Amino acid sequence: MEREQAVTCEQELQQLVRDVGASFLDIGQKLLECQRTRWHNLLGFATFDDFVEKSLQITGRAGRYYARIYRCYVEEAKFPAERLVEIGWTKLQTLLPILEEKTQAGNAIDFLRWFALARESTVRELEVRVLAHLSPEEKERHGLRSA
């Protein structure tokens, strides 16, 4: 039964990735489910990245970002999906260090301001703003370098 669920999950993910109109949040939700259940092992893949790269033809890194975006923004921060879709997954990924660092530290942040910046900025401009906002220690924790 669990193997059947894993196969079904794989097939659903393949369809979502193929579907041009598929939401990155839907993909993230399914990838997070596969990551948590380790269904990739039942499907014969040694790692989550192998599963994503070989079965879905996207990079393991992109697959981890989709899952992380869903977990952080939807499950943990409870942001409305429609607001997230407006911004797009690349800019949400860029903002993840701000969201994670500030919420882990217990600091309230005005994320509506960051969303507004994301909508009006290019990805590169947003990256520069995020780097300027983070402390050296926060940048190091996230593997970021100054621009």
Side-chain angles (χ1 to χ4, degrees):
M1 171 136 167
E2 197 171 24
R3 170 116 171 97
E4 291 172 10
Q5 289 175 313
V7 170
T8 299
C9 182
E10 178 184 30
Q11 291 169 346
E12 289 172 356
L13 279 165
Q14 288 169 341
Q15 183 59 45
L16 286 169
V17 170
R18 281 192 301 269
D19 183 1
V20 175
S23 166
F24 64 90
L25 293 174
D26 293 336
I27 295 169
Q29 181 181 24
K30 280 292 184 189
L31 285 171
L32 185 60
E33 178 182 3
C34 287
Q35 207 174 39
R36 286 178 172 157
T37 58
R38 303 186 60 77
W39 282 343
H40 58 275
N41 295 134
L42 290 171
L43 294 166
F45 296 96
T47 67
F48 177 77
D49 282 7
D50 285 345
F51 164 67
V52 170
E53 291 168 5
K54 292 175 182 162
S55 181
L56 307 178
Q57 281 82 51
I58 59 175
T59 66
R61 183 178 182 187
R64 289 189 312 276
Y65 278 139
Y66 282 129
R68 189 169 156 215
I69 285 168
Y70 186 83
R71 179 180 49 80
C72 290
Y73 288 100
V74 177
E75 288 187 352
E76 295 173 3
K78 309 284 190 227
F79 285 109
E82 57 275 4
R83 185 172 299 272
L84 301 174
V85 171
E86 288 173 14
I87 294 166
W89 85 272
T90 306
K91 289 180 180 179
L92 290 172
Q93 179 270 323
T94 302
L95 289 173
L96 274 171
I98 300 253
L99 179 66
E100 291 175 335
E101 288 297 331
K102 302 311 175 193
T103 54
Q104 286 176 8
N107 298 334
I109 57 170
D110 181 5
F111 225 79
L112 293 179
R113 183 177 70 86
W114 281 102
F115 281 167
L117 286 172
R119 277 196 301 278
E120 67 190 35
S121 304
T122 66
V123 172
R124 184 66 191 131
E125 291 167 343
L126 188 60
E127 288 171 345
V128 169
R129 289 178 182 205
V130 167
L131 287 170
H133 187 79
L134 296 172
S135 72
E137 295 81 18
E138 291 168 337
K139 289 177 196 173
E140 187 174 322
R141 266 194 299 279
H142 290 276
L144 301 173
R145 294 180 293 246
S146 295

